[in-house]
Amino acid sequence: MMISRRHFFKTGSAAGCLFMLGKTGLAAQKSATSGSDRNLVEARYYEKQPNRKIKCVLCPRECMIDDLERGYCGVRENRNGIYYTLVYGKPCTAHIDPIEKKPLFHFLPGSEAFSFATAGCNVFCKFCQNWEISQARPEQVQSFDLPPRQAAQIAAEKKCASISYTYSEPVIFTEYMYDCAVEGRSRNVKSVMVTNGYIQAKPMQDLCQVLHSVKVDLKAFTERFYKELVSGQLRPVLDTLVLLRKMNMWTEIVYLVIPGQNDDPRELEQMCRWIYKELGPGVPVHFSRFYPQYRLTNLPATPVQTLNKARKIGLDNGLNFVYTGNVPGDPGENTYCPKCKATVIRRIGFSVTEMNLKNGTCSRCNEKIPGIWS
């Protein structure tokens, strides 16, 4: 049975939000009141307005919020003219994942990432695979206490090379992510942001001081798609990608190819040309397979040949590292040397089965392969 968004919010159902980190042995304190006063932390990106109103300047929406109201994301609230985040230190799901699941293919391949998310998101993707938490408010999910220091400690104890802020949208828990990344650095644990890129320049610049890598979901290359299927805008995401390039932040792009919506070869070619010109040929681009879910169950899964065509368009337009995703065993999962064409990293799904890298170079021809390898 398909549960409507209205019914979901009314019942507070959150079947997918339980703490699933049995592998760590962490005894987390669960709570259904993550918006309680004791968890309030003042937000860092807002401007005070007359009559106790505030203007949020975290993301491009720039919500104008009256007293006792929340922004679009549902996790930041104005209380007497002071803006608070309601999800600081209150994730609703956590796992240890292979870094390839994010996916990041040029960042510590074969390593694991301590991954978690809070409720909330600043867009509304009709194809969201984690809608149970992204489209929920904090009081509608079962959360647990996980302060930044403890998050970094768990990652280090479990020998995770990184912490990944993922699953929902980390932009909306920016303060928590920033502080976790700071704590991670003190324990030699890197930080990875998995994001829609829908964020203002200032908070992104601040995050770049503590993060090590960012994976951006570029949903499409038309404003029509962003308006109708994301409830957002394309331009701010492109601006974020350019900013990340200027900040020398290691960035990879994922493009979920949805049949009949963003799979036009002309759109893909236009996007690949833009990436080559604005970001350079070394930025990895992942064309991932769509499976019907949430509000787009009427569409078929992406044909594998469509992904292969998209990959060819990227390569033909000068991009050196173009991948296919959600197709385990496809040759497009592997990393190839752009010079000698040797297989540098062989993958099956989320597993690395062969590594032919030597100090960040192809072991056959010594061509430098861009990425973070240690």
Side-chain angles (χ1 to χ4, degrees):
M1 181 180 70
M2 188 68 173
I3 301 175
S4 71
R5 189 168 183 253
R6 181 184 298 273
H7 177 73
F8 173 80
F9 280 168
K10 184 178 180 180
T11 61
S13 173
C17 306
L18 298 179
F19 187 49
M20 299 292 290
L21 199 60
K23 185 173 179 179
T24 70
L26 172 67
Q29 179 182 355
K30 295 180 181 179
S31 169
T33 58
S34 56
S36 63
D37 287 346
R38 69 185 182 86
N39 296 303
L40 288 179
V41 171
E42 186 175 356
R44 295 175 188 167
Y45 301 97
Y46 74 99
E47 299 171 355
K48 293 191 175 186
Q49 305 291 315
N51 302 316
R52 292 182 296 184
K53 292 184 178 182
I54 68 96
K55 177 182 178 181
C56 181
V57 291
L58 174 59
C59 93
R61 292 189 182 279
E62 296 191 337
C63 296
M64 293 290 293
I65 304 164
D66 288 321
D67 189 21
L68 300 179
E69 296 292 341
R70 299 186 189 180
Y72 180 94
C73 62
V75 304
R76 307 167 85 81
E77 185 171 292
N78 179 1
R79 297 194 178 184
N80 198 30
I82 300 176
Y83 204 33
Y84 292 98
T85 168
L86 307 180
V87 291
Y88 186 97
K90 301 294 293 184
C92 62
T93 188
H95 307 264
I96 292 178
D97 292 333
I99 196 66
E100 285 75 18
K101 186 177 180 180
K102 303 305 147 190
L104 282 168
F105 279 9
H106 290 233
F107 181 88
L108 306 179
S111 68
E112 290 186 314
F114 180 41
S115 308
F116 53 81
T118 74
C121 187
N122 60 348
V123 296
F124 176 56
C125 297
K126 294 182 178 179
F127 45 89
C128 182
Q129 64 180 357
N130 293 318
W131 64 271
E132 295 97 333
I133 60 175
S134 70
Q135 299 305 311
R137 291 193 168 204
E139 62 270 24
Q140 294 168 325
V141 300
Q142 193 171 32
S143 300
F144 52 92
D145 294 312
L146 188 65
R149 183 172 297 180
Q150 188 179 10
Q153 181 181 346
I154 292 171
E157 289 177 351
K158 298 304 172 183
K159 309 222 180 310
C160 294
S162 61
I163 300 171
S164 177
Y165 315 96
T166 179
Y167 304 136
S168 56
E169 177 45 59
V171 166
I172 59 93
F173 59 89
T174 290
E175 297 85 359
Y176 181 38
M177 171 170 48
Y178 184 99
D179 291 350
C180 286
V182 170
E183 291 289 345
R185 280 179 173 266
S186 70
R187 292 166 174 79
N188 198 31
V189 176
K190 292 178 168 57
S191 279
V192 171
M193 181 184 186
V194 177
T195 178
N196 58 29
Y198 206 56
I199 185 172
Q200 296 266 30
K202 181 60 168 64
M204 191 71 254
Q205 289 169 340
D206 291 345
L207 285 167
C208 283
Q209 305 306 314
V210 296
L211 296 174
H212 296 84
S213 180
V214 177
K215 190 223 76 175
V216 176
D217 288 309
L218 182 55
K219 315 282 186 182
F221 207 65
T222 64
E223 291 290 356
R224 189 277 310 171
F225 183 101
Y226 267 84
K227 179 180 179 181
E228 296 179 3
L229 297 180
V230 179
S231 295
Q233 298 173 290
L234 169 62
R235 174 46 58 184
V237 181
L238 299 183
D239 291 342
T240 295
L241 285 166
V242 172
L243 174 61
L244 291 170
R245 173 68 173 177
K246 292 179 179 177
M247 299 290 291
N248 293 316
M249 176 60 59
W250 180 253
T251 304
E252 301 192 25
I253 296 171
V254 168
Y255 188 99
L256 185 68
V257 183
I258 303 177
Q261 297 297 328
N262 63 357
D263 60 348
D264 188 315
R266 292 169 296 181
E267 178 181 349
L268 298 176
E269 184 165 15
Q270 183 182 13
M271 180 191 70
C272 290
R273 288 178 176 177
W274 182 89
I275 293 173
Y276 180 89
K277 177 183 177 182
E278 300 293 338
L279 310 179
V283 175
V285 177
H286 306 252
F287 288 108
S288 292
R289 192 179 195 188
F290 162 84
Y291 287 96
Q293 54 196 335
Y294 194 29
R295 297 296 185 85
L296 290 188
T297 55
N298 59 312
L299 298 181
T302 313
V304 176
Q305 56 265 37
T306 300
L307 298 180
N308 291 329
K309 289 178 181 178
R311 181 170 181 268
K312 185 177 185 301
I313 288 172
L315 293 171
D316 288 347
N317 281 276
L319 302 180
N320 290 331
F321 305 101
V322 189
Y323 299 99
T324 54
N326 293 339
V327 189
D330 190 85
E333 291 185 310
N334 303 327
T335 299
Y336 300 96
C337 174
K339 182 178 179 181
C340 73
K341 310 305 179 185
T343 302
V344 178
I345 305 175
R346 191 180 303 276
R347 303 176 184 85
I348 297 180
F350 302 143
S351 299
V352 174
T353 61
E354 184 180 342
M355 284 274 289
N356 297 305
L357 269 177
K358 183 178 180 182
N359 298 323
T361 64
C362 171
S363 59
R364 176 186 287 184
C365 71
N366 295 320
E367 176 75 4
K368 183 178 180 181
I369 309 297
I372 297 177
W373 309 113
S374 62

